[in-house]
């Protein structure tokens, strides 16, 4: 079992390393773009040929990953920044009306397909990279909040939380100190899946021209704009497409490996903490 986890972690690292390094460090080593050549030319001093306007594909690849990665990471972080406090508060509050006011508007937003909502927003204003990150975060907030609320509700129903209440512990101590820590594995699993979905959503939006210029150095834009020359100069489409797939697949593998690796140590610690809290509560309840 340990060898399987190590192998999964090594595979995930190997798959994600290339696109991640190219995305984060590529612009630093891209150098001068050089003069443009004819469209969709193979060779002629260009490692991966030229794109639809004669630019060097390798140079575009080095510049095209950072917008995708940074936008996806920012959108995921913003989604959790809203979902965590709202979900925790909804699960731990004893006011039904307040819980309904927090969750029902999110349910309405959840009913609208994510990509459709982004496209509708793009018809009202033209979002840049920051706007695209905000839109992707907004469409992920309802689902993330429901997951946080469900996990927090399960943790909040444990005897340990009641013991904390009996001891007069603060809401912050219960919500973050115990319930929050109890949700770590669930959140880690969701973060890997959500980041993968956000990467695909960002890439799809860029593919449709939302949040980026039509000729921007962006892997998704490269796939869209160069697909007309796929059978003439395939590298302009195949390379950025493979990098997007490698980034999303490798991310999932890494989170999955980390989740399995940490699972064996977290459960006993939680059980021991729960037993300790129950014991303390029983002692305080004795006359």
């Amino acid at each position: 079992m340990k060898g399987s986890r190590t192998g999964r972690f090594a595979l995930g690292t190997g798959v994600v390393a290339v696109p991640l390094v190219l995305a984060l460090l590529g612009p630093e080593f891209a150098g001068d773009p050089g003069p443009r050549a004819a469209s969709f030319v193979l060779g002629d001093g260009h490692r991966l040929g030229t794109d639809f306007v004669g630019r060097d594909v390798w140079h575009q690849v080095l510049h095209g990953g950072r917008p995708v990665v940074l936008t996806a990471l920012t959108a995921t972080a913003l989604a959790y920044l809203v979902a965590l406090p709202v979900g925790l508060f909804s699960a731990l509050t004893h006011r039904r009306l307040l819980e309904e006011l927090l969750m029902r508007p999110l349910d309405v937003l959840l009913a609208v397909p994510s990509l459709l909502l982004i496209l509708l927003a793009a018809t009202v204003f033209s979002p840049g990279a920051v706007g695209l990150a905000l839109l992707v975060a907004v469409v992920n907030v309802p689902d993330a909040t429901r997951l946080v609320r469900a996990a927090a509700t399960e943790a909040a129903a444990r005897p340990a939380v009641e013991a904390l209440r009996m001891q007069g512990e603060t809401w912050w101590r219960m919500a973050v100190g115990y319930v929050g820590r109890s949700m770590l594995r669930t959140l880690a699993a969701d973060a890997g899946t959500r980041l993968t979905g956000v990467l695909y959503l960002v890439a799809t939006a860029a593919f449709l021209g939302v949040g980026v210029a039509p000729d921007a150095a962006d892997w998704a834009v490269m796939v869209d704009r160069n697909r007309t020359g796929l059978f003439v100069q395939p590298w302009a489409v195949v390379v950025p497409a493979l990098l997007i797939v490698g980034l999303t697949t490798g991310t999932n593998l890494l989170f999955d490996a980390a989740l399995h690796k940490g699972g064996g140590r977290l459960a006993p610690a939680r059980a021991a903490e729960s037993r300790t809290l129950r014991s303390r509560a029983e002692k305080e309840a004795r006359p």
Side-chain angles (χ1 to χ4, degrees), residues 83-106:
L84 282 171
V86 174
L88 282 172
F89 191 81
S90 298
L92 295 174
T93 186
H94 295 289
R95 298 180 177 89
R96 183 69 178 176
L97 178 60
L98 184 57
E99 181 183 357
E100 292 291 324
L101 289 175
L102 286 172
M103 297 304 298
R104 293 298 79 81
L106 295 179

Side-chain angles (χ1 to χ4, degrees), residues 40-285:
F40 299 128
V41 171
L42 284 169
D44 195 22
H46 302 282
R47 299 178 187 178
L48 298 176
T50 61
D51 66 359
F52 69 106
V53 290
R55 296 174 300 188
D56 184 77
V57 170
W58 175 242
H59 187 270
Q60 293 295 105
V61 165
L62 291 176
H63 279 281
R66 185 176 290 184
V68 176
V69 172
L70 293 183
T71 302
L73 289 175
T74 302
T76 304
L78 289 175
Y80 281 117
L81 192 63
V82 176
L84 282 171
V86 174
L88 282 172
F89 191 81
S90 298
L92 295 174
T93 186
H94 295 289
R95 298 180 177 89
R96 183 69 178 176
L97 178 60
L98 184 57
E99 181 183 357
E100 292 291 324
L101 289 175
L102 286 172
M103 297 304 298
R104 293 298 79 81
L106 295 179
D107 290 343
V108 174
L109 191 60
L110 186 63
V112 183
S114 301
L115 188 57
L116 177 60
L117 188 60
I118 291 175
L119 293 176
L120 288 174
T123 61
V124 178
F125 67 98
S126 299
V130 176
L132 179 59
L134 289 173
L135 285 174
V136 174
V138 167
V139 299
N140 274 274
V141 163
D143 183 50
T145 303
R146 289 178 67 87
L147 184 137
V148 170
R149 177 175 172 270
T153 300
E154 188 275 330
R158 296 174 186 173
V161 177
E162 186 61 31
L164 288 172
R165 284 200 182 98
M166 292 174 63
Q167 295 176 66
E169 295 289 353
T170 63
W171 184 90
W172 178 264
R173 165 66 194 245
M174 290 187 293
V176 178
Y178 182 80
V179 175
R181 282 194 297 166
S182 300
M183 295 167 18
L184 284 179
R185 288 192 66 207
T186 302
L187 291 178
D190 179 67
T193 305
R194 190 168 304 282
L195 181 57
T196 301
V198 167
L199 280 166
Y200 275 122
L201 190 57
V202 169
T204 303
F207 180 86
L208 296 173
V210 178
V212 294
D215 59 345
D218 183 285
W219 288 345
V221 175
M222 291 177 67
V223 174
D224 175 40
R225 302 296 287 175
N226 294 313
R227 56 197 171 96
T228 55
L230 176 62
F231 297 104
V232 178
Q233 210 290 72
W235 300 121
V237 176
V238 172
V239 171
L242 287 177
L243 288 172
I244 292 174
V245 172
L247 189 63
T248 54
T249 304
T251 300
N252 248 346
L253 288 172
L254 278 179
F255 271 92
D256 185 60
L259 184 64
H260 280 80
K261 187 176 181 180
R265 296 192 298 269
L266 289 173
R270 287 179 190 150
E273 181 182 7
S274 180
R275 287 194 298 269
T276 301
L277 289 170
R278 283 199 298 269
S279 176
R280 288 169 62 184
E282 289 171 359
K283 290 179 180 178
E284 291 185 3

